[in-house]
Amino acid sequence: MYMGAAEDEGRNADPQVAMSKMQLAKAAGFDTIRITAIWAPGQSAVPQGQLQALQSIAAAGVFLGIKVVTTVMPFGSSTTPLTPTARTQFARFAADIVRRVPTIREYIVGNEPNLNRYWLPQFGSRGEDVAAPAYVQLLARTYDLMKAADPGIFLIGGSLAPRGIDRPGTGRDTHSPTAFITDMGSAYRALKRTRPIMDGFSFHPYGENSSTPPTVEHNVGTSLGLADYFRLVDLLGKAFNGTAQKGSALPIVYDEYGVDSQIPDTKRTFYGGKEPASTRPVSEGVQAAYYDEALKLAACQPTVRGFLIFHVTDETDHNRWQSGVYYADGTPKASRALVKRAMGEVRSGTYECGEPPETNETFGWTLISHSH
């Protein structure tokens, strides 16, 4: 399982800036950094400025031995690629990155398409899910053109948010991951496609707030978290097993998981804005403990491929994420050393996984114990 962070600070056309930001990640023990590449309507190739930034961070990654994963996405719901022409432009844009930055080998297509912040429309005139079918069509087109550019890349779909309402007209049209995965499967089967649309599946297993431990299970309802791995695998199996697309055996990447920490008075000058009451930030010790639990929980889940913390370094706006292992000024939090140790324990196997059930008929496959 690769381990790192989702962080765009190193995506900079200046190679020195890219290198310095990646060195922070290296010092924290991260072996992977996920960045974003933003598509705009009409683009079929990567603009020069964005290309230089991608090439700079890719070069820094090669030098430091850090894997770079790239999420290719529209900026937001106002630029959702919905027409065949827009989907083809998006796919050509993504394929252009593959050709022009060949050291980046792993890609995620889209970001949280089950939320209206990143994908509209979510519902049709009859209240039906139109987001999942449209996203599946985008995945299919993008998969084909990116694989044509380089068959050896690893392409990931999903990137789903952990919660959603599943009701139109609420003022925040969203789908739960449970409904969205089910609808992705139905849309894929309707295509009668004879090849996959993704090599892996990504998911954002944030808790309800930063005080929610990663071990909380959602035994009822439609939300999912880190402790709901078997439910997630079951959903993927029911959606895709028996087709050309892997389902229950699909590799899973947790590409965003964040726990906000409280900012000490000595660092407050580096931050602005106001912390929402709903965030419920925790001490740095609790942040470290939650990241430790989350990393080891994920490492014990048989099909998990990667785990990425959101972020390396805090964002400066209190209304956003103070979930990094560095403060906004680039100095390390107390949690950095503990998270680095946790990742070292995962890599060396010096921890114990709980015993999974020997068989599970719902999933249709045998689980193997990953005790170390």
Side-chain angles (χ1 to χ4, degrees), residues 168-227:
T170 62
R172 189 170 188 263
D173 287 354
T174 58
H175 281 93
S176 68
T178 302
F180 203 85
I181 292 169
T182 300
D183 294 343
M184 281 182 68
S186 298
Y188 176 80
R189 292 173 190 272
L191 291 179
K192 300 189 183 304
R193 186 175 164 90
T194 57
R195 62 187 312 209
I197 54 174
M198 54 187 167
D199 303 316
F201 186 86
S202 63
F203 183 65
H204 299 171
Y206 293 101
E208 279 69 16
N209 57 64
S210 288
S211 294
T212 305
T215 51
V216 169
E217 296 181 35
H218 301 83
N219 294 317
V220 295
T222 57
S223 298
L224 296 174
L226 270 173

Side-chain angles (χ1 to χ4, degrees), residues 3-291:
M3 292 168 284
E7 180 63 82
D8 270 340
E9 280 207 349
R11 190 194 60 185
N12 195 292
D14 184 335
Q16 289 185 328
V17 174
M19 180 64 75
S20 66
K21 296 299 183 182
M22 290 288 269
Q23 285 172 333
L24 286 179
K26 185 74 173 181
F30 296 148
D31 60 35
T32 303
I33 290 293
R34 192 214 77 188
I35 58 172
T36 60
I38 307 299
W39 172 83
Q43 290 181 340
S44 292
V46 186
Q48 187 61 28
Q50 192 166 180
L51 176 63
Q52 289 175 340
L54 293 169
Q55 290 172 334
S56 291
I57 196 165
V62 170
F63 184 81
L64 294 170
I66 296 176
K67 177 189 184 85
V68 176
V69 178
T70 300
T71 294
V72 186
M73 58 180 284
F75 179 75
S77 57
S78 64
T79 58
T80 304
L82 295 173
T83 66
T85 298
R87 285 193 288 268
T88 297
Q89 290 172 343
F90 180 96
R92 287 175 176 167
F93 174 94
D96 192 48
I97 301 174
V98 172
R99 285 188 292 268
R100 300 175 77 181
V101 197
T103 57
I104 297 179
R105 310 298 300 156
E106 190 153 332
Y107 292 87
I108 299 168
V109 175
N111 182 66
E112 298 185 345
N114 58 323
L115 300 187
N116 63 340
R117 179 177 178 182
Y118 293 105
W119 194 284
L120 280 175
Q122 288 284 318
F123 296 95
S125 58
R126 300 184 304 278
E128 75 277 19
D129 181 356
V130 297
Y135 176 65
V136 164
Q137 290 183 63
L138 180 68
L139 262 184
R141 187 68 175 135
T142 306
Y143 184 96
D144 291 344
L145 293 194
M146 292 182 79
K147 290 287 187 175
D150 185 343
I153 62 160
F154 194 87
L155 193 151
I156 303 169
S159 198
L160 300 186
R163 288 169 289 282
I165 299 172
D166 294 326
R167 289 193 314 274
T170 62
R172 189 170 188 263
D173 287 354
T174 58
H175 281 93
S176 68
T178 302
F180 203 85
I181 292 169
T182 300
D183 294 343
M184 281 182 68
S186 298
Y188 176 80
R189 292 173 190 272
L191 291 179
K192 300 189 183 304
R193 186 175 164 90
T194 57
R195 62 187 312 209
I197 54 174
M198 54 187 167
D199 303 316
F201 186 86
S202 63
F203 183 65
H204 299 171
Y206 293 101
E208 279 69 16
N209 57 64
S210 288
S211 294
T212 305
T215 51
V216 169
E217 296 181 35
H218 301 83
N219 294 317
V220 295
T222 57
S223 298
L224 296 174
L226 270 173
D228 303 307
Y229 167 77
F230 292 115
R231 283 188 65 198
L232 175 57
V233 173
D234 188 32
L235 285 163
L236 291 169
K238 288 175 178 175
F240 298 110
N241 283 356
T243 73
Q245 174 61 60
K246 285 182 181 179
S248 54
L250 200 59
I252 292 170
V253 175
Y254 296 126
D255 69 304
E256 284 186 21
Y257 176 74
V259 177
D260 262 36
S261 71
Q262 298 156 356
I263 304 304
D265 291 340
T266 55
K267 297 291 184 180
R268 287 195 179 277
T269 56
F270 298 103
Y271 299 82
K274 185 177 180 181
E275 185 87 67
S278 58
T279 302
R280 296 181 64 187
V282 298
S283 68
E284 291 176 29
V286 172
Q287 182 194 48
Y290 282 4
Y291 282 154

Side-chain angles (χ1 to χ4, degrees), residues 277-321:
S278 58
T279 302
R280 296 181 64 187
V282 298
S283 68
E284 291 176 29
V286 172
Q287 182 194 48
Y290 282 4
Y291 282 154
D292 178 282
E293 287 180 326
L295 285 159
K296 292 171 182 175
L297 186 62
C300 291
Q301 296 171 348
T303 58
V304 170
R305 175 181 176 88
F307 185 98
L308 303 177
I309 290 169
F310 193 81
H311 294 289
V312 177
T313 305
D314 283 355
E315 296 181 72
T316 57
D317 184 352
H318 265 304
N319 196 41
R320 295 187 61 78
W321 286 89

